[in-house]
Amino acid sequence: MGKVAFFATGNVHKFNEARFVFSEFKVAVAMLKVKTVEIQDSDIENIAVASALDAVKKCSLPIVVEDAGLFIRALNGFPGPYSSYVFQTIGVNGVLKLMKDIDDREAYFHSVVAFCRPREKPIMFHGKVEGRIVHEERGDEGFGFDPIFTPLKGGGKTFAEMGLEEKNRFSHRALALRNFAEWYIRQ
Ligand code: IMP
C-alpha cells in the first residue's frame, strides 16, 4: 500500500503545491483543516515546530506542517518570520512602497516543513529559493507575495505568472517538501 501524509493547513494553495510534489513520490496527501497556533517568533523553525506539536496534540496523527517567509536583503530580512502578519496588514503594495527607492531587490523565500508523530519530536526539512522583488505586481496565480517575487532561474516571471507546475520547479516549498518526501518514503 502507498504512503499517506496528513498536511495540516488552511491554505488550499499550499495544499495543492504539496499534492503535486507528493504525487511525484506516490504519496497520497490529505488536507487537515485543523487550526494550529501560529506563534510569533524570530525563527520560522520555531514557528513550524510549535505548529506541528499543536496539530499532533489536536489530531493524534502523524502530521506535516509547513511555515514559510519572504526575506528581503535590503530590509535586513524583513518580513521574514512576520510575513503572514505583514501580508495581512500592509500587503504586497505596502512591501513595494517600502522598496520604492531601493535598488537592491535581492530576496529569498525560506520554507520549513515539520513532520511530527505523536509522542515524538518534530523533524524538519528546509527549502530556499533566491530571487528578486519586482517593481510592480505581475500575475494572478498563486497567493501571498507571489506577484512580486521572481526566482533567479525563472526566466523573469513572477511566481504569480507561473502555473502550479512551473512554480513547483523552483519554489522553496516544493524543495522542502521533496526533501521531506525523499525521507518519508524510506520510513
Ligand atoms: P505562512 O505563515 O507559512 O502561511 O506564510 C507566511 C506568509 O508568507 C504568507 O501569508 C504569505 O504571504 C507568504 N508566503 C509564504 N509562502 C509563499 C509563497 O509560496 N508565495 C507567496 N507568498 C508566500
Side-chain angles (χ1 to χ4, degrees), residues 48-109:
V49 163
S51 164
L53 289 170
D54 189 46
V56 168
K57 197 167 122 194
K58 283 173 177 154
C59 304
S60 304
L61 283 170
I63 298 275
V64 180
V65 301
E66 189 264 357
D67 201 81
L70 173 66
F71 296 76
I72 302 176
R73 197 171 80 150
L75 304 180
N76 296 327
F78 181 85
Y82 310 105
S83 295
S84 177
Y85 180 69
V86 167
F87 181 74
Q88 283 164 35
T89 49
I90 62 171
V92 163
N93 276 325
V95 171
L96 284 181
K97 273 189 199 145
L98 288 176
M99 297 287 292
K100 198 166 140 292
D101 297 314
I102 298 178
D103 293 330
D104 176 4
R105 314 294 293 187
E106 273 183 40
Y108 66 87
F109 271 115

Side-chain angles (χ1 to χ4, degrees), residues 35-36 48 64 66 85 93 105 110 130-131 136 160-161 166 178:
K35 186 100 191 100
T36 59
V64 180
E66 189 264 357
Y85 180 69
N93 276 325
R105 314 294 293 187
H110 181 187
E130 300 280 351
E136 278 173 7
E161 291 176 303
E166 195 176 0
R178 274 191 200 104

Side-chain angles (χ1 to χ4, degrees), residues 26-175:
K26 308 214 172 354
V27 173
V29 58
M31 179 173 176
L32 283 187
K33 277 195 168 181
V34 50
K35 186 100 191 100
T36 59
V37 283
E38 180 151 350
I39 58 163
Q40 285 292 6
D41 195 283
S42 57
D43 187 338
I44 59 171
E45 280 194 4
N46 294 340
I47 301 172
V49 163
S51 164
L53 289 170
D54 189 46
V56 168
K57 197 167 122 194
K58 283 173 177 154
C59 304
S60 304
L61 283 170
I63 298 275
V64 180
V65 301
E66 189 264 357
D67 201 81
L70 173 66
F71 296 76
I72 302 176
R73 197 171 80 150
L75 304 180
N76 296 327
F78 181 85
Y82 310 105
S83 295
S84 177
Y85 180 69
V86 167
F87 181 74
Q88 283 164 35
T89 49
I90 62 171
V92 163
N93 276 325
V95 171
L96 284 181
K97 273 189 199 145
L98 288 176
M99 297 287 292
K100 198 166 140 292
D101 297 314
I102 298 178
D103 293 330
D104 176 4
R105 314 294 293 187
E106 273 183 40
Y108 66 87
F109 271 115
H110 181 187
S111 160
V112 177
V113 166
F115 173 73
C116 189
R117 296 187 179 101
R119 294 173 299 282
E120 290 183 16
K121 281 190 180 155
I123 304 170
M124 280 178 286
F125 303 84
H126 294 259
K128 196 171 161 184
V129 57
E130 300 280 351
R132 299 175 67 77
I133 303 297
V134 295
H135 289 270
E136 278 173 7
E137 282 186 60
R138 296 200 316 254
D140 307 311
E141 304 286 333
F143 70 101
F145 297 109
D146 279 346
I148 59 166
F149 182 84
T150 172
L152 283 190
K153 295 179 186 149
K157 284 187 193 175
T158 65
F159 273 160
E161 291 176 303
M162 299 179 181
L164 191 148
E165 188 178 354
E166 195 176 0
K167 178 179 174 186
N168 268 0
R169 262 187 251 146
F170 308 103
S171 93
H172 50 305
R173 181 166 305 102
L175 287 168

